[in-house]
Amino acid sequence: MKIEKILVNNCEILRPEPFGFIIFGASGNLTYNKLIPSLFGLFKKGIIKNNFFIIGVGRTTYDDSSFRVRVENSIKNRFKDLRDKIIEDFCANTYYIKGKYEDIYTYNEIKERINELSLCYKTKGNIIYNVATPPILFEPIVIKLVESGLLGKNVNKNFFQRIMIEKPFGYDLKSAKKLNNIILKKIDDEQVFRIDHYLGKSTVQNILVFRFANTIFYDLWNNKNIECIQIKFKETSGVEERIEYFDSTGLIRDVFQNHILQLISLVTMEHPKRFTANYIQKEKNNIFKNIKPFNGLKLKEQIILGQYDGYRQYKKGLEKSCTETFFATRLFINNKRWNNVPVYIIAGKKMDCDESSIKVIFKRKINFLLKDEQNFNKNAITFKIKPQQGITLDFLGKVPGAKLCTQSFKMDFNYKSLFGEDMIDDYESVILECLYGDHTIFWDKKGVEYSWRILEPLLNKLKKCSLEEKDKMIKFYRPGSYGPEELKYFIKDYRD
Ligand code: BG6
């Protein structure tokens, strides 16, 4: 078959093969906020053509036409002022099956539909199953897919069967291992794509390129020159829309085990031997292995857990909830490059601003005409991930005029001003890489297990705490604020 090449932002990419895309959890928010708009984004950019079909599977009662209305609305919500024709063309490729995830009849119906649509769209049997349900359903869905013959080892190399699994992958180390084992008994690891949509963001992918393709920073990236690393994951929104999921998950499982640990690994990993999935994942895993796990006996010194005011009043049943909507912590990586460099993390919902960023602060080694050192920013590189997308460099410079006065300045690189609003988004990237069968921007089996190992003592301790003990640990904060008061004392050397 002739493989077509297309140009996106002046970069040549391959057009993926025709495929069917099955979404489990098709009545949930993720489907309409992320998956559908991103599949449409790929269609609109011309990266995928008309030979694909999408089947939504969910418990809500829809038929093909009412599902298409929701699909259309979700697209119009994201892409304003679009021609109706392109949306209509896309929607015509979408279908819906109502069914219970534990019920084999659901899978029989999926099978019938796939057989019929594969012929119609000439997809040759290429299928991606996307599991976007609450995590508790991951295991039964995988088991039923295998039992029904919908998913099996890719023995016939003429077509692919792949599965994408949302995060959090597991609930703790034990459940993550169990899920890995169940999946890998039945299918090959190369068919499994453990999603972390942060790895699909261009700003996140740029971290490795920035670090390894630029001589000027390469040699500075170590504890001789770097004082600390600060990661912010602040959001102004709350969790009301998905309170059932969130209250049983908490922010540590929601963003720390996955997105934040990935950010840490990208900014601290060694140069991979090659820029391929295996080598990159190997270097990331070396970081995960070397992050000191929490010490269950000294939690108070290591982490602040917070909850925004009003959380417990939102709904009946939450009156005594100790679920964290905020945490601040400090980690260390035990290796030659990073010994003694603290990595600070602040993450929270309903905070003062939306900001996802990594700031690398350099030590001050030269003292050039600085009368009052405290008033000058240290050199810092900030990877701005969201909502701003780019990189800034803090440096000292001369104020114009006859006298030699210095001042802190910023150099600012901004993706949007160069590439506009229509960049490939995170889920577009995640779906595209899965279509290519490339694992570079996904978690691997070992990485997921290491990530839970870091958190295990913390999660175990919290599990064992009585409600009173937990209640004492949780610090409350005002929505729209910097977080709990205690933050000031906890991270003294943290600079905003
Ligand atoms: C999700 C978390 O994985 O990532 C959410 O479950 C969080 O709680 C979201 O808000 C942030 O993603 P993004 O792409 O909006 O920064």
Side-chain angles (χ1 to χ4, degrees):
M1 198 190 78
K2 190 171 157 274
I3 296 172
E4 256 185 278
K5 289 183 180 162
I6 30 176
L7 269 187
V8 178
N9 289 331
N10 276 334
C11 178
E12 207 173 61
I13 65 167
L14 303 181
R15 191 184 307 289
E17 288 185 50
F19 64 99
F21 197 87
I22 320 298
I23 305 174
F24 288 91
S27 15
N29 287 343
L30 188 70
T31 301
Y32 304 103
N33 293 341
K34 298 274 193 179
L35 292 171
I36 292 287
S38 296
L39 280 158
F40 178 77
L42 292 174
F43 183 64
K44 179 174 160 280
K45 292 183 180 79
I47 299 174
I48 58 174
K49 278 194 161 167
N50 238 326
N51 38 12
F52 70 93
F53 63 88
I54 297 168
I55 305 179
V57 183
R59 286 186 280 217
T60 310
T61 308
Y62 291 126
D63 55 16
D64 289 348
S65 56
S66 51
F67 179 58
R68 284 176 188 169
V69 173
R70 274 212 77 180
V71 168
E72 184 180 331
N73 289 341
S74 80
I75 295 172
K76 286 188 169 160
N77 217 354
R78 167 87 74 86
F79 301 88
K80 318 265 182 238
D81 310 323
L82 253 193
R83 281 180 304 117
D84 281 347
K85 175 76 175 72
I86 188 169
I87 303 180
E88 257 172 49
D89 289 349
F90 178 86
C91 288
N93 294 11
T94 63
Y95 304 85
Y96 188 81
I97 291 174
K98 174 186 186 280
K100 291 194 183 128
Y101 300 116
E102 311 76 20
D103 198 338
I104 196 75
Y105 295 111
T106 309
Y107 298 80
N108 293 340
E109 205 182 330
I110 298 174
K111 202 182 215 169
E112 261 177 45
R113 260 306 179 61
I114 289 182
N115 288 342
E116 174 197 316
L117 294 172
S118 298
L119 286 178
C120 177
Y121 287 88
K122 300 194 175 59
T123 55
K124 297 188 308 186
N126 290 333
I127 282 287
I128 292 181
Y129 299 104
N130 184 293
V131 190
T133 59
I136 187 116
L137 292 166
F138 295 171
E139 200 179 302
I141 290 176
V142 173
I143 292 177
K144 284 281 179 298
L145 278 172
V146 171
E147 260 176 37
S148 61
L150 279 166
L151 182 63
K153 290 193 187 253
N154 261 1
V155 221
N156 181 347
K157 300 284 186 212
N158 292 333
F159 66 91
F160 61 74
Q161 287 183 336
R162 296 180 184 143
I163 182 163
M164 301 174 87
I165 299 190
E166 261 304 331
K167 51 135 281 258
F169 190 94
Y171 192 73
D172 52 15
L173 181 57
K174 200 170 149 205
S175 59
K177 279 188 168 169
K178 188 172 165 221
L179 188 56
N180 268 330
N181 288 342
I182 288 179
I183 297 174
L184 297 179
K185 249 189 218 153
K186 308 290 182 191
I187 55 173
D188 296 323
D189 201 23
E190 65 184 36
Q191 295 171 266
V192 188
F193 293 78
R194 299 169 188 83
I195 301 179
D196 189 317
H197 77 279
Y198 253 63
L199 295 178
K201 292 183 188 293
S202 305
T203 45
V204 172
Q205 294 174 359
N206 188 34
I207 297 172
L208 288 193
V209 179
F210 179 87
R211 283 188 56 201
F212 296 130
N214 294 297
T215 327
I216 45 175
F217 306 115
Y218 192 83
D219 286 341
L220 295 177
W221 223 253
N222 54 43
N223 55 4
K224 286 193 200 80
N225 301 298
I226 291 176
E227 185 177 283
C228 69
I229 298 173
Q230 302 180 351
I231 299 189
K232 286 189 201 160
F233 203 105
K234 300 210 241 176
E235 293 173 291
T236 49
S237 55
V239 292
E240 285 78 7
E241 255 192 24
R242 45 185 201 141
I243 192 74
E244 261 87 45
Y245 155 79
F246 194 87
D247 197 55
S248 59
T249 306
L251 199 63
I252 291 173
R253 287 186 172 90
D254 188 45
V255 302
F256 193 4
Q257 177 269 334
N258 34 76
H259 309 325
I260 291 178
L261 284 176
Q262 282 291 350
L263 295 182
I264 295 176
S265 71
L266 289 169
V267 91
T268 57
M269 66 185 255
E270 297 295 315
H271 191 302
K273 222 171 171 180
R274 287 198 199 126
F275 278 84
T276 55
N278 284 349
Y279 287 105
I280 292 180
Q281 279 164 345
K282 184 172 164 237
E283 290 307 339
K284 283 185 182 176
N285 289 346
N286 281 337
I287 293 295
F288 298 139
K289 264 195 273 184
N290 283 310
I291 292 180
K292 249 192 184 165
F294 282 90
N295 177 344
L297 299 173
K298 291 188 179 166
L299 281 189
K300 272 195 195 145
E301 295 161 30
Q302 297 167 65
I303 192 161
I304 297 186
L305 300 175
Q307 189 185 77
Y308 57 76
D309 294 335
Y311 181 93
R312 292 179 177 182
Q313 286 73 44
Y314 175 65
K315 210 175 158 196
K316 243 182 143 199
L318 295 179
E319 297 82 354
K320 291 188 175 163
S321 170
C322 289
T323 299
E324 76 287 352
T325 60
F326 170 97
F327 66 82
T329 189
R330 181 179 35 222
L331 288 177
F332 286 95
I333 300 165
N334 282 334
N335 68 13
K336 210 169 143 209
R337 187 183 292 275
W338 295 110
N339 262 340
N340 297 323
V341 178
V343 181
Y344 297 107
I345 304 154
I346 292 186
K349 300 280 183 187
K350 287 213 181 171
M351 304 281 289
D352 56 318
C353 64
D354 283 303
E355 182 182 346
S356 175
S357 65
I358 309 171
K359 186 169 186 177
V360 178
I361 300 182
F362 289 82
K363 292 178 180 169
R364 173 160 288 141
K365 291 193 169 175
I366 36 181
N367 217 334
F368 181 76
L369 296 172
L370 291 183
K371 285 187 204 113
D372 183 4
E373 265 203 47
Q374 294 300 325
N375 290 333
F376 292 96
N377 290 338
K378 293 189 174 165
N379 286 146
I381 289 168
T382 307
F383 298 95
K384 298 202 275 187
I385 296 162
K386 217 194 97 180
Q388 294 193 42
Q389 304 180 9
I391 296 177
T392 55
L393 168 67
D394 292 17
F395 66 102
L396 291 186
K398 183 183 175 301
V399 177
K403 277 175 71 182
L404 210 154
C405 284
T406 39
Q407 189 180 315
S408 303
F409 293 114
K410 246 186 213 324
M411 276 186 199
D412 206 344
F413 156 67
N414 182 331
Y415 260 113
K416 276 191 184 160
S417 62
L418 283 180
F419 295 99
E421 294 289 332
D422 213 18
M423 290 197 325
I424 289 227
D425 79 13
D426 41 24
Y427 266 87
E428 286 175 26
S429 206
V430 163
I431 294 169
L432 197 56
E433 295 300 335
C434 180
L435 282 167
Y436 290 147
D438 188 327
H439 284 81
T440 308
I441 61 163
F442 295 86
W443 280 93
D444 76 344
K445 172 185 181 289
K446 277 194 195 155
V448 166
E449 294 177 7
Y450 288 134
S451 70
W452 284 114
R453 195 187 56 91
I454 298 166
L455 300 174
E456 194 71 348
L458 166 66
L459 298 174
N460 279 345
K461 173 77 184 181
L462 293 176
K463 198 157 99 188
K464 284 188 203 134
C465 277
S466 66
L467 211 58
E468 287 82 39
E469 281 175 300
K470 255 193 210 160
D471 201 46
K472 269 193 212 150
M473 276 186 85
I474 291 280
K475 311 293 174 206
F476 295 94
Y477 61 98
R478 200 171 40 77
S481 67
Y482 285 109
E485 279 292 298
E486 287 76 2
L487 186 62
K488 274 192 230 150
Y489 314 105
F490 180 73
I491 301 188
K492 290 195 202 74
D493 40 353
Y494 181 84
R495 260 181 305 274
D496 213 23

